[in-house]
Amino acid sequence: MKKTFLLLSLTLSMAISAKNQTVEMVKRLPGASYNSHYVSNRSPLQPQQFIKLPVGSIQPEGWLLKQLELQKDGLNGHLGEISAWLQKDDNAWLKTGGKWGWEEVPYWLRGYGNLTYLMKDEAMLKETKFWIEGILKSQREDGNFGPLVLNNGKQDFWPNMIVLWIVQSYYEYSNDARILDFMTKYCHYLLTVSDDDFLSSYWENSRGGDNLWSVVWLYNRTGDKQLLSLADKIHRNTADWTKSTQLPNWHNVNVAQCFREPATYYLFKKDTALLEASYNVQSLIRRAFGQVPGGMFGADENARIGFFDPRQGTETCGFVEQMASDQIMLLISGDPYWAENCEDVAFNSYPAAMMPDYKALRYITSPNHVVSDSQNHHPGIDNSGPFLAMNPFSSRCCQHNHGFGWPYYAEHLVLATPDNGLAAVMYSACKAKIKVGSKGAEVTLHEQTNYPFEEAVRFTLSTPSKVRFPMYLRIPSWCKNASIKINGKQEAVTLVAGEYARIEREWTNKDEVELIIPMDLSVRQWQANKNSVSVNWGPLTLSLKIEEEYKQLDSRATAIGDSKWQENADASAWPTYEIYPKTPWNYALVTSLPIQIKRKNWPADNNPFTLGNVPLEFKAKGRIVPGWIIDEYGLCGVLPYENARKSDRIDEITLVPMGAARLRISAFPTAK
């Protein structure tokens, strides 16, 4: 009788648990509601699909934390000791009429400040506040602020757009009420500027969408109706990114940064044609110049007819701006495509743009990149200068702007949802504090994983009391047979690739969710580029492992002409490196033979993005293509035609994740 009673109790308990828990697939989140605990789009704006948590809510761990530590100890963390633009004496961001003033201080401070909030470093925080205080003090009575940079007698508003992003993050971190006053006064000033004098020069005209995103942010916090008029003004004076078959310009950073402007304006007008226009630009540039692995497109300054081979590259600025745009598009649309594209760039393109110690970077990085020197490769590259060397003194824009890539990425790992839940959308080890449920209980989500180098993502919830809320997990579109366990129990639900798993239940302390994302080898053909192929392992694209030879140079001797550094900058502590191949690179991949995975130990220093540390290698077969050589521009030659002569000998070759390879062949010709 006692045994029967226990069995009945267990059955009843399981029935109650099943009744109080649902696991289902959804394509999008509920978009008609507003989160009760976090600032999100207020009426009349279109509700958001996801809501970004305030800066400081997410603490990265694992390999991502390592990248941030390298950044702190590297160029971004120490650029104030090197760059002439960041010297405090006679700086236009600190002193009226100062010498050094345009985009450089804001570019650097955006990454440095957000890195500071993540690292919780007191010395860095003091430095961040110094610059922010200087910028706040620069505000004039009419609301304008910063250096008065003129183009043809009209103010260039572009640098101020970056500053708005900086102070937004600072407000989220500090709740300093002065920021809202500062931004409001400035936005009211912009309303007084005539249309003829507003966003008239090239960069600001292309990039008005950055200003528009700040208007969204500020309106949601103040409800100031005048901001709705400012949104209209910014949109009508910004370059038109809504045309079906042409772009305002084909500059790589502009395209990566500006394509989201129509989608941002969609929040105000709720016209889906605006949202679709941003999708169209993303598609248009990739159909024409993005038939390559790595999530980007070939526009090594500007996209040009005839220059669409994978040996064309993208600025490091382009990588980080694309990642930021992907994050904003994800918040607006809820489309998991944008999370995947952000991961593609973050895992495969961005890390290799920097030296393994983050103390130098190069201007241009390409999917097929076999020489990284200080020579001028124009017109193979659409700019004249030493743009392939890893030089910490050179390339003003990327030198200052590269630092916001990883901090912003970390801030978007876990998001709030309109139904008072949470969503893990891009997977990386972290701890996130987030308010959930009808009453806003604060819980901590601890995510443990080495993704994308492993297939398991484990979540542990810490909560002071039971709380009911939904949790969303993105199922990547490339994944087959994903599965979920809740507290060790396999859930009987078919997880659909490219959608979200929605788990709603009453959560208790130490509840665990494990998401298994099986990764398989897949081959993608790039028909527009001579039917070349790239190989993927889940979200990782693989490259030929080329042994790298590093040559150290004086950074002052190899910097581009407009570079500026401080008189006391120690060039010996910040050398330039050229990288040359020590092993053959001109291989065609034998696609008919199997590729075998070799797992290695996880690196002791937590940095998987180097050839020596990468925890995955793949053994494949290839044939040398003798005619595929360095071309007339000193670059990796364009891909050979399919019928190009190949060696009779089949060699064993090693493939590694693309992000670990500073020299790489990622798009291969094929051989039998």
Side-chain angles (χ1 to χ4, degrees), residues 155-169:
Q155 181 175 347
D156 181 355
F157 291 99
W158 157 236
N160 288 16
M161 297 184 201
I162 315 168
V163 170
L164 295 182
W165 285 37
I166 293 166
V167 296
Q168 288 161 209
S169 291

Side-chain angles (χ1 to χ4, degrees), residues 560-615:
I560 190 173
D562 68 348
S563 302
K564 305 288 182 182
W565 51 86
Q566 297 174 26
E567 288 184 11
N568 60 350
D570 184 358
S572 65
W574 300 94
T576 284
Y577 286 94
E578 296 181 331
I579 313 174
Y580 296 94
K582 292 174 64 177
T583 52
W585 56 264
N586 51 340
Y587 275 103
L589 184 68
V590 179
T591 54
S592 59
L593 296 176
I595 298 174
Q596 297 177 331
I597 183 172
K598 178 185 177 183
R599 297 185 183 273
K600 301 164 63 180
N601 292 333
W602 184 256
D605 68 355
N606 247 353
N607 183 14
F609 291 110
T610 70
L611 287 186
N613 280 355
V614 67

Side-chain angles (χ1 to χ4, degrees), residues 3-19:
K3 184 177 180 181
T4 305
F5 175 75
L6 286 173
L7 186 61
L8 231 110
S9 297
L10 181 61
T11 304
L12 181 60
S13 172
M14 291 175 65
I16 292 171
S17 175
K19 183 179 179 181

Side-chain angles (χ1 to χ4, degrees), residues 169-226:
S169 291
Y170 181 66
Y171 177 82
E172 292 179 17
Y173 172 78
S174 67
N175 289 314
D176 188 334
R178 295 179 301 162
I179 300 302
L180 299 185
D181 292 338
F182 174 84
M183 292 181 65
T184 298
K185 289 176 184 176
Y186 178 66
C187 286
H188 287 177
Y189 165 74
L190 293 181
L191 283 167
T192 70
V193 179
S194 71
D195 279 22
D196 288 342
D197 294 331
F198 188 52
L199 306 185
S200 59
S201 61
Y202 177 72
W203 300 113
E204 58 177 341
N205 181 252
S206 295
R207 299 172 180 182
D210 280 33
N211 205 152
L212 189 60
W213 186 243
S214 294
V215 171
V216 173
W217 186 95
L218 185 60
Y219 176 73
N220 286 334
R221 283 156 180 81
T222 67
D224 181 354
K225 298 294 185 183
Q226 293 187 65

